[in-house]
Amino acid sequence: MKKLVLAAVVLVMVSCQQEKIGFVDNVKLMEDYKERVDVEAKYKTKLETFGKKKDSISQAFQIEAQAFQVKAQKMSQQKAQEEYGVMQQKGQFIGQQLQQEEQQLQMAGQTEMDSLVKKVKREIKAYGEANSYAYILGGGDGGSVLYGKETNDLTAEILKLLNDKYKK
């Protein structure tokens, strides 16, 4: 009889325990995460610098092309066509080099952002484990939480944790 009562008490206690569930607004978290802001600013600066370089190279090539047009008027038609072919190849080569450099810059930025997202996910997981959460769901645009009580919103806590760790 005592075993039956004890089993009933344990069953009631287990059924009364609810697993902790929280959610994080992914958009707000990433918008306000200082490391993400710094990474984005770094690549924005690199892209602006590259844009200036690209404009400078393009402008220099245009000047060279204009000078060639003046020079071509004094050449025979066959010689002018040969030189025009060389200029065209040079223009294509420059365009390909610039496009390749821009793609490498974009890939490096994307790789760094992907690494940052993985880091945030690891921190959320560690926070959940340390604070006995059964689930931490993603909210915000494209998230899985359509409604959640403010008390279950962990965005501010996790954002503070991430930003504090980033300062170090």
Side-chain angles (χ1 to χ4, degrees):
M1 187 67 166
K2 285 183 183 181
K3 287 182 182 178
L4 186 59
V5 171
L6 183 60
V9 169
V10 169
L11 185 61
V12 168
M13 287 176 62
V14 169
S15 67
C16 288
Q17 288 181 345
Q18 292 183 342
E19 294 183 326
K20 287 172 67 173
I21 299 176
F23 67 93
V24 175
D25 184 336
N26 299 324
V27 174
K28 180 167 178 38
L29 184 70
M30 292 307 284
E31 279 179 0
D32 296 343
Y33 182 27
K34 288 183 177 101
E35 186 172 2
R36 193 232 20 113
V37 171
D38 290 349
V39 167
E40 192 173 90
K42 176 174 84 172
Y43 280 96
K44 182 179 179 187
T45 302
K46 285 183 177 189
L47 282 170
E48 286 173 357
T49 301
F50 173 76
K52 290 176 185 175
K53 175 183 173 182
K54 184 178 178 179
D55 290 346
S56 173
I57 290 171
S58 296
Q59 190 175 29
F61 183 73
Q62 283 180 340
I63 291 169
E64 187 178 343
Q66 288 171 348
F68 166 73
Q69 284 178 339
V70 171
K71 187 174 138 183
Q73 291 174 353
K74 299 174 186 172
M75 297 179 181
S76 69
Q77 188 174 1
Q78 184 179 355
K79 180 71 174 166
Q81 284 179 343
E82 288 174 12
E83 296 257 342
Y84 178 73
V86 170
M87 284 294 292
Q88 197 173 20
Q89 284 180 339
K90 184 177 181 179
Q92 288 175 345
F93 178 76
I94 289 171
Q96 288 171 348
Q97 291 295 104
L98 290 172
Q99 184 178 14
Q100 191 175 35
E101 190 175 336
E102 186 175 21
Q103 286 174 343
Q104 288 173 343
L105 193 57
Q106 288 173 344
M107 284 176 55
Q110 188 61 48
T111 299
E112 196 163 343
M113 288 304 273
D114 289 348
S115 160
L116 196 65
V117 168
K118 287 178 184 175
K119 179 180 178 180
V120 168
K121 287 180 179 181
R122 280 193 310 269
E123 289 295 332
I124 291 171
K125 180 181 178 186
Y127 179 88
E129 289 172 350
N131 292 284
S132 303
Y133 277 89
Y135 301 97
I136 296 180
L137 308 172
D141 290 343
S144 58
V145 177
L146 299 176
Y147 169 76
K149 291 181 181 179
E150 287 289 321
T151 56
N152 294 340
D153 187 351
L154 306 173
T155 307
E157 293 172 49
I158 292 175
L159 181 60
K160 182 178 180 348
L161 177 90
L162 285 166
N163 284 334
D164 287 349
K165 282 189 176 186
Y166 178 61
K167 288 178 187 175
K168 295 178 184 176

